[in-house]
Every structure is written in C-alpha cells, then in structure tokens.
Amino acid sequence: MTAEIPESEVVLGETLLRLVARISARFIVGLPLCRDDEWLRISTTVGMNVFTQVLVVRLLPSILQPLRPLVVRCLPMWYRLRENLETAYRLLESTLVESRTAEKSIQSADEGEATPLVHWMSNNGRNDVESELVNVARRQIFLGLGSIHTTASAANHAIHDLCAHPELIDPLREELEEVIKSEGGLTKVALTKLWKLDSFLSESQRVNPPFLTFFEPASFHRLAMEPITLSDGTHLPKNTFIAIPSASILYDPAIVPDPYTFDAFRNYRKRQEPGESHRHQYAMVDKDHMHFGHGKHACPGRALAANELKLILSKFLLGFEIKYPEGKGRPKNLMINEFVIGDMFAKVMIRKRKKVSLSS
C-alpha cells in the first residue's frame, strides 16, 4: 500500500448495503430521490422488516398457523413496515403526479435520458388498481427486496473473498485495465469481456450461496397440485412441496472437481474450451446452477445484478487497496434456516490508490 495516503477501517457490509441501495434507486426512482437519505433508509430497512416477520411466523407451531395475520400485527416489524410504505408514498407522490401530468417518461425518452422505472410503471398500469399512485409507490419499495439485500450480500462475499485471496487482485486488475483501454471505458460491452471477474463472482457465489436450497418465492420450488409419480418411481402426494438443494449440487465432485477449493478462475478456464465461450457465466442458469432459479421463473434481474457487481468490484479493484485488519481473517457466514448471510459488521482496511484507471 502507498504510505502517503492514510487507510481507514470501514464496516464493509453497511457500506455496500447503502451503495447498492443508491444504485438500485437510481434506475427505480431516478434523481434526486435516489440520493435522499430518507428514501435510502426505508429501502434498506424494509427488507429486514419483512424477513424478520417471516422468520418469526415460521416459529409458530402448525396448530397456530391460522392465527398468523393476528400474530404479525403484534410484532413491531409490522408497524415499521407500514411506516416504510407510508413514507415511500409521501416521498414519491409528487414525482408520480409530475410523471402523469407532464408525461415525463415520454419527454425523457425523446431527450435520450434514462427513464426511471417508477415513471414507466406509473404510466403503463393495466388497470386502475395497478395505476393507483399508492400501489405504484409500494411496488417501488418491494422491488428493493430483490434488488438490494441480495446484491449487497453478494458484493460483501466477493470483497471478503478478495481480502482472503489477495493473490487474485493483480490478475483481476490487469484484466480490467486491458478491457477499459480497448473499449474506452467500462461500457456495457466491456462488462461482458471481464471473463476473469465474472468467473471470480461465480466462484464466490458457489462457495457462499444465498440459499442452501431453492425454496423461495422467486426461486425453483414446486407444489404438487395433485398426486404425481416421477420417472424414477418417487411418489409425491398432493400438496407436497419440492425444493432443490442448489448449494449441495455445486459441492458435488461429479459436477465440480475439487469443490472445497476456492478456484476463482474455474469458469474462466471452462469458457476457453472450444464451443464454451458463451457458457459458464455468472448470470446463467441450468440444471446444475440454480442459485438464480431455473426455467421461466428464474430471477429476471440476474443480468442487472451481475453488471452492478462488476461495476462495484471494478471501482474497488482500481480505486482502492483493501485488506483485513492485522490479525483478522475472513469472517464466518451466518446460517438462518436456509439463508446464508455474510457478516455485515466485519471491518476491513481500505486506502485510496494513487493511480486510478477507471474514470467517472
């Protein structure tokens, strides 16, 4: 590290959560709201309020499950969530009214500006209920459930993996500098050429999966609507839930050689084989890679998340030196039911580099 520039100790998880919240808000609600402290507060806390309620309700014995609506209303998180939604509507109301009266989305498109998602949703509702301002405002908050915490968690894991494997920093930086030089910046096309970074993110996700099984609303799970017998003779009675052990699949030696070794460029080497250059990418799904789901219900925002992560990692790699504090190492992940959560309060040492190759 460069001695002249002081280094700082930062809480990585909290920093990344706020950063990803701003990035997501930039395309969801646009300027200036994406930089509003109150909007960032509710967009980062609504996820915790929702998931905490889910975990508490799961603790109820089956005989009390019919009382879930009443139990939820006794939880402080329920009232916090209502406050989140009311605040979201208050902050967005003037923006939504302006969008409709001035047809801002059309004007922005004509001027070549990026149109925030909220304007598109406000002006393109299929019926009066979808177009109602309060419902449009609420949907922007719930979009954060799928675009903020999961992406921030993935970035948190990735940077911790960089700190734990500092030998990866130089080859990733070299690739970034080469691509930026050839493409004239970190364009959308340039992001597709970061094969080593994409492979590193894939390996980080494999070792630190978001879920042990895919049993989430937007993921690969199924409910047997009627009795069914599978091709191998397994019989599933009606109302049987099926989930896929996505994490275990990628620890199977028959699928991933030497699965307990962190091999950052595993997929990079696979893509260099004949006919494989367009496969083995972070945002791709198949029967062996289900962290983003599978089939028509696969995560629709996975390509966006991949680009966000590449941009975040690029800024860190080219703009900063980062390491663990003296005597510290990679923190252990926390397991809550099927959820795998990185330590959001672990600290890292960070210092700005003298030479930064990434502009703007």
Side-chain angles (χ1 to χ4, degrees):
M1 289 190 175
T2 307
E4 294 82 358
I5 302 177
E7 64 181 9
S8 302
E9 188 176 62
V10 300
V11 178
L12 184 60
E14 292 180 352
T15 302
L16 289 171
L17 183 62
R18 186 173 177 83
L19 173 61
V20 173
R22 285 189 61 168
I23 295 173
S24 297
R26 182 64 178 88
F27 62 80
I28 292 176
V29 297
L31 290 168
L33 198 54
C34 66
R35 297 173 182 172
D36 184 273
D37 286 336
E38 194 168 17
W39 178 266
L40 295 176
R41 176 188 65 81
I42 61 173
S43 62
T44 54
T45 57
V46 68
M48 293 303 299
N49 290 330
V50 170
F51 290 125
T52 304
Q53 289 183 70
V54 170
L55 293 175
V56 171
V57 168
R58 282 186 177 184
L59 297 175
L60 293 176
S62 57
I63 193 173
L64 295 179
Q65 288 298 319
L67 300 178
R68 285 181 296 179
L70 295 177
V71 173
V72 166
R73 283 167 173 77
C74 296
L75 300 175
M77 295 78 72
W78 188 80
Y79 295 96
R80 292 173 193 156
L81 181 59
R82 288 183 62 86
E83 183 271 331
N84 291 156
L85 297 176
E86 291 169 0
T87 303
Y89 177 67
R90 174 172 56 81
L91 293 174
L92 273 172
E93 184 177 14
S94 60
T95 300
L96 293 172
V97 171
E98 177 188 357
S99 170
R100 292 185 179 179
T101 57
E103 296 183 351
K104 183 169 178 142
S105 62
I106 298 176
Q107 294 177 7
S108 297
D110 292 340
E111 296 167 5
E113 299 176 4
T115 304
L117 180 62
V118 65
H119 294 309
W120 183 88
M121 294 180 72
S122 175
N123 294 326
N124 291 277
R126 292 177 296 180
N127 51 55
D128 291 341
V129 175
E130 281 194 359
S131 299
E132 190 175 353
L133 295 184
V134 65
N135 290 330
V136 173
R138 287 177 175 178
R139 281 197 291 273
Q140 310 318 305
I141 282 296
F142 283 109
L143 279 172
L145 291 176
S147 63
I148 296 177
H149 289 82
T150 49
T151 305
S153 178
N156 189 38
H157 283 305
I159 294 177
H160 276 300
D161 287 331
L162 274 181
C163 293
H165 301 276
E167 71 278 3
L168 300 174
I169 293 177
D170 284 342
L172 290 174
R173 276 182 182 155
E174 290 170 5
E175 178 188 59
L176 275 164
E177 290 168 353
E178 290 174 5
V179 169
I180 290 172
K181 184 177 180 181
S182 64
E183 295 297 322
L186 267 183
T187 62
K188 188 175 180 179
V189 173
L191 294 177
T192 66
K193 296 184 177 182
L194 297 174
W195 285 19
K196 289 182 179 179
L197 184 57
D198 187 276
S199 178
F200 166 73
L201 288 170
S202 296
E203 185 72 354
S204 179
Q205 185 190 60
R206 184 187 73 82
V207 175
N208 309 285
F211 311 105
L212 297 178
T213 63
F214 254 107
F215 200 65
E216 298 308 300
S219 310
F220 194 88
H221 76 276
R222 298 292 184 267
L223 172 67
M225 304 301 293
E226 58 185 38
I228 184 172
T229 301
L230 304 181
S231 59
D232 65 350
T234 302
H235 180 73
L236 302 176
K238 182 179 179 180
N239 294 328
T240 300
F241 274 106
I242 310 167
I244 303 298
S246 52
S248 298
I249 290 173
L250 291 177
Y251 272 92
D252 185 347
I255 298 173
V256 179
D258 197 12
Y260 291 95
T261 297
F262 187 93
D263 185 352
F265 301 141
R266 189 189 302 270
N267 284 5
Y268 172 75
R269 294 192 300 272
K270 289 181 180 179
R271 293 182 67 183
Q272 292 186 324
E273 297 175 4
E276 299 292 308
S277 62
H278 296 294
R279 300 186 61 209
H280 313 293
Q281 297 182 51
Y282 178 76
M284 287 188 171
V285 297
D286 58 35
K287 64 182 180 63
D288 295 330
H289 301 82
M290 295 191 180
H291 288 317
F292 285 114
H294 192 40
K296 66 180 182 180
H297 296 295
C299 173
R302 60 189 186 276
L304 174 63
N307 285 342
E308 284 186 69
L309 290 170
K310 289 177 183 179
L311 289 171
I312 291 171
L313 268 291
S314 297
K315 282 288 190 180
F316 271 91
L317 283 165
L318 296 179
F320 302 92
E321 300 282 0
I322 188 168
K323 67 176 184 179
Y324 285 125
E326 192 68 30
K328 299 291 184 179
R330 197 192 196 290
K332 292 183 178 181
N333 294 332
L334 176 65
M335 308 288 186
I336 303 179
N337 292 340
E338 73 273 25
F339 303 104
V340 181
I341 304 172
D343 190 337
M344 298 296 288
F345 303 102
K347 296 180 179 180
V348 296
M349 305 304 297
I350 190 169
R351 172 183 288 154
K352 190 172 182 179
R353 299 178 72 208
K354 271 193 171 182
K355 296 182 179 179
V356 181
S357 302
L358 181 60
S359 61
S360 68

